[in-house]
């Protein structure tokens, strides 16, 4: 909103697909483990949209590997803070969310390695990495904006 560039989120698309299949995100993650076409189609759709746009912010765990981007930013958050945020957003118990984060991360790590040969723990493709557990939304925006202006 601050820089007036449209935004797409792989996570939002994935959650929408899970809902369309009448599954939770975790159930859909497990379903996707046996159906490579789901990840391939999701990644291709996001890349096609991004690569055909003049300006676009693309968000997704492995989007940086598929999108021809001018600038790649990894926003990381420690699992305990992620769990608190998700628990609040989705009105789930903290214990449930912690379990889901571990299962989802393991599932995604396995799928991305098997399907795309991507190690999601390799951050070398990114221009900048920001810990959003340390920086609030405004500080994170300020860091990204300043970096983009200086590139």
């Amino acid at each position: 909103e601050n820089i007036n560039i449209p935004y797409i989120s792989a996570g939002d698309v994935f959650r929408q697909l899970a809902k369309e299949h009448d599954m939770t995100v975790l159930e859909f993650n497990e379903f996707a483990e046996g159906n490579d076409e789901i990840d391939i189609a999701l990644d291709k759709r996001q890349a096609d949209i991004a690569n055909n746009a003049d300006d676009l912010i693309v968000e997704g765990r492995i989007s940086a590997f598929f999108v021809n981007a001018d600038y790649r930013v990894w926003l990381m958050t420690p699992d305990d803070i992620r769990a608190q945020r998700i628990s609040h957003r989705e009105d789930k118990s903290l214990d449930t969310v912690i379990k889901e984060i571990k299962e989802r991360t393991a599932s995604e790590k396995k799928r991305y390695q098997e399907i795309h040969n991507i190690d999601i723990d390799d951050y070398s493709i990114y221009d900048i990495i920001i810990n959003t557990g340390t920086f609030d939304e405004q500080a994170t925006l300020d860091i990204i904006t300043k970096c983009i202006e200086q590139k």
Side-chain angles (χ1 to χ4, degrees):
E1 291 173 2
N2 287 336
I3 55 178
N4 198 28
I5 296 177
Y7 164 88
I8 61 170
S9 166
D12 288 345
V13 173
F14 195 84
R15 282 186 284 282
Q16 183 180 21
L17 288 170
K19 188 174 184 177
E20 289 171 10
H21 284 82
D22 198 29
M23 295 180 185
T24 67
V25 172
L26 188 56
E27 290 168 339
F28 197 62
N29 247 333
E30 291 169 1
F31 176 69
E33 282 185 26
N35 297 282
D36 294 352
E37 301 82 28
I38 292 170
D39 282 313
I40 292 168
L42 179 65
D43 299 333
K44 183 180 182 326
R45 183 184 309 171
Q46 194 177 36
D48 287 346
I49 292 168
N51 292 331
N52 289 311
D54 290 331
D55 286 319
L56 185 66
I57 294 172
V58 180
E59 179 275 327
R61 182 167 273 188
I62 60 172
S63 299
F65 292 89
F66 299 104
V67 174
N68 183 16
D70 293 329
Y71 206 74
R72 291 177 173 91
V73 178
W74 179 257
L75 301 178
M76 65 79 59
T77 308
D79 285 348
D80 60 328
I81 296 172
R82 282 178 63 202
Q84 291 172 9
R85 291 175 181 173
I86 294 168
S87 175
H88 182 261
R89 180 183 71 217
E90 297 181 8
D91 195 29
K92 293 180 178 179
S93 76
L94 195 55
D95 289 339
T96 297
V97 173
I98 291 169
K99 180 180 180 237
E100 289 177 354
I101 286 173
K102 288 179 182 178
E103 290 176 7
R104 179 178 174 201
T105 301
S107 172
E108 290 175 344
K109 187 172 188 165
K110 178 182 176 188
R111 288 195 339 262
Y112 300 153
Q113 184 66 52
E114 290 176 355
I115 297 168
H116 302 295
N117 197 30
I118 292 173
D119 176 2
I120 60 172
D121 295 324
D122 176 7
Y123 304 111
S124 63
I125 191 170
Y126 298 98
D127 299 296
I128 188 167
I129 300 168
I130 302 171
N131 181 340
T132 66
T134 301
F135 299 100
D136 66 14
E137 289 179 33
Q138 187 59 53
T140 300
L141 175 63
D142 292 344
I143 293 166
I144 295 169
T145 303
K146 188 72 169 175
C147 289
I148 290 171
E149 289 170 355
Q150 291 185 0
K151 185 164 184 173

